[in-house]
Amino acid sequence: MRAAVCREVRQIAIEELDEPTPGDGEIKLRMVATGVCRTDLSIFQGHLPVPRPIVLGHEGVGIVEAVGTGVTRFSPGDSVVCSIIAGCGDCFQCRRHSSALCENVTFYTGKMLDGTTRLSKGDEAIHSLSFQASFAEKAIVPERSAVRVRKDAPLDKLAGLACGVSTGLGAAMVRDPVEPGASVVVIGTGGVGLSVLMGAKLRGAAKLIAVDVNPTKLEKALAMGLATETIDASQQDVVSVVRSLTDGRGADHAFDVVGSAGTLEQAVEAVRPGGHVVLIGLAAAEVGTELQTSALLRQKTLTGTMGGSIEPRRHIPEFVDLFLAGRLDLAGLMDKSYRLEEIGQALEDLEEGRVTRGVICFDD
Ligand SMILES: [Zn+2]
Ligand SMILES: [Zn+2]
């Protein structure tokens, strides 16, 4: 099978790998599409350490081609969205419906859940990103991170639900459910930020304030009807504009999708006393912060989310239903599709801010 293999930082090329076989509790998918996420880019750029050679890609959707031993919930032909959340189902966190915090799953090891690799090229072991390695024609994924979805859903439109789009929707709908009539600030309006706005709008937020330094992204938020106000953070003071838009008080919710030095402080200052701040983005492996502790005395709540804190098997089918009912414009989030051979271009377009969400489509 063909796969995009990353052997060095800033190097990715199509190679012919061995046809993979699903292990115990795993399914084999013929990929239909996969999103290209900022995390793939961060690894490509060398900002997140992973073992190489590795096949990146973690926003895969596909059709079940074969199932391994012990698989009970899937059969060949099923439509699947692969979630980045692969809870074991049995640990302290999973039993509390916090699969995103599963104590038995470690990301970025390049290994499957049993600690071995599943991809190979002759004698050489090839690693898989996030138990998916979706930049390949076939993928082996654990049954427990796979979500079966309605057969009438166009799979290529659902790629983002594996990671970025679910993270954004989940932040505003699950982690910190926005109330009807609320005011919401979203710092960083790429694919995840637009998804936060989409979730907040769906929940009935009255004021949707989009913040970015890229005017094109702000225009897209307006064009999609996902922002009622925009702030260009390269030209305007975010905190004072948010206050002026919220009766001088500050917003009810702020979501920091950027996660670079200074953005979290901005989010905390932009919410009213008693307001909520959710950190979603992480611009580098380690980002420090200098928060004014008085914010906490003003009863502001500060938290974060992994993957939108969703329970994939419950929430992803709900998101699909909302999409098919015309209430979530998942298709509108995607602005460019590529073939697998164009993966280098897709990563470059994302890096240069030329696309919001790129999708690789596998055509046969
Ligand atoms: Zn991702
Ligand atoms: Zn667990």
Side-chain angles (χ1 to χ4, degrees):
M1 67 151 182
R2 288 178 317 134
V5 182
C6 179
R7 291 181 175 273
E8 309 283 343
V9 168
R10 291 200 164 274
Q11 181 276 335
I12 196 163
I14 306 300
E15 298 187 25
E16 188 68 29
L17 303 187
D18 302 331
E19 190 71 18
T21 308
D24 189 41
E26 295 171 352
I27 60 178
K28 177 182 179 183
L29 298 177
R30 175 175 62 76
M31 300 310 300
V32 170
T34 176
V36 181
C37 174
R38 196 150 281 279
T39 304
D40 298 307
L41 177 62
S42 294
I43 294 169
F44 176 74
Q45 293 167 324
H47 298 321
L48 282 174
V50 292
R52 297 169 207 263
I54 188 166
V55 175
L56 305 179
H58 62 280
E59 292 197 345
V61 290
I63 305 286
V64 177
E65 198 172 89
V67 302
T69 50
V71 169
T72 54
R73 289 187 294 105
F74 292 91
S75 337
D78 284 347
S79 292
V80 167
V81 172
C82 306
S83 176
I84 52 162
I85 297 175
C88 73
D90 199 35
C91 71
F92 174 90
Q93 296 288 0
C94 285
R95 286 197 301 270
R96 281 160 180 72
H97 305 291
S98 296
S99 308
L101 302 178
C102 176
E103 294 172 338
N104 295 319
V105 172
T106 314
F107 293 102
Y108 310 130
T109 61
K111 308 271 177 55
M112 299 302 284
L113 293 169
D114 66 1
T116 65
T117 53
R118 205 62 76 240
L119 304 179
S120 61
K121 185 175 187 177
D123 293 337
E124 183 183 31
I126 310 281
H127 298 89
S128 299
L129 180 65
S130 298
F131 325 108
Q132 276 193 45
S134 57
F135 293 169
E137 291 173 317
K138 309 288 173 68
I140 304 295
V141 304
E143 176 182 33
R144 66 192 194 211
S145 66
V147 178
R148 187 174 50 240
V149 295
R150 293 164 56 165
K151 282 213 163 100
D152 59 339
L155 271 182
D156 58 322
K157 302 293 187 293
L158 304 185
L161 291 179
C163 172
V165 176
S166 283
T167 297
L169 293 174
M173 297 171 71
V174 179
R175 183 71 187 111
D176 189 25
V178 167
E179 313 78 19
S183 51
V184 175
V185 179
V186 177
I187 301 177
T189 55
V192 176
L194 289 175
S195 306
V196 176
L197 288 165
M198 207 177 263
K201 183 179 178 186
L202 192 78
R203 300 258 323 159
K207 203 157 274 184
L208 298 160
I209 306 169
V211 180
D212 208 290
V213 292
N214 180 340
T216 313
K217 291 186 181 176
L218 295 174
E219 280 158 27
K220 174 146 185 167
L222 283 174
M224 287 185 71
L226 295 176
T228 55
E229 266 87 23
T230 61
I231 301 175
D232 180 343
S234 70
Q235 307 287 329
Q236 297 166 281
D237 180 64
V238 173
V239 174
S240 57
V241 179
V242 169
R243 286 201 183 134
S244 72
L245 292 169
T246 52
D247 302 326
R249 193 176 294 123
D252 299 313
H253 301 263
F255 296 87
D256 177 9
V257 193
V258 176
S260 60
T263 53
L264 185 63
E265 291 85 339
Q266 238 169 21
V268 171
E269 278 196 62
V271 296
R272 62 168 168 81
H276 291 191
V277 176
V278 180
L279 175 69
I280 304 173
L282 191 63
E286 286 181 38
V287 178
T289 177
E290 283 190 24
L291 285 175
Q292 295 297 322
T293 51
S294 58
L296 300 180
L297 299 183
R298 308 269 286 160
Q299 296 180 206
K300 297 185 181 185
T301 301
L302 170 59
T303 186
T305 180
M306 288 282 297
S309 311
I310 64 164
E311 287 296 317
R313 289 215 289 275
R314 173 183 161 196
H315 293 109
I316 288 178
E318 287 179 10
F319 296 153
V320 172
D321 286 345
L322 287 166
F323 166 58
L324 289 176
R327 299 184 62 201
L328 280 181
D329 183 13
L330 298 183
L333 287 174
M334 297 170 191
D335 35 21
K336 193 159 182 190
S337 68
Y338 304 85
R339 294 181 312 124
L340 183 62
E341 298 74 36
E342 298 172 307
I343 182 65
Q345 186 66 49
L347 289 165
E348 188 187 309
D349 286 349
L350 185 62
E351 183 168 22
E352 297 299 325
R354 291 192 284 257
V355 293
T356 306
R357 288 202 64 82
V359 181
I360 308 277
C361 292
F362 299 81
D363 33 28
D364 52 333

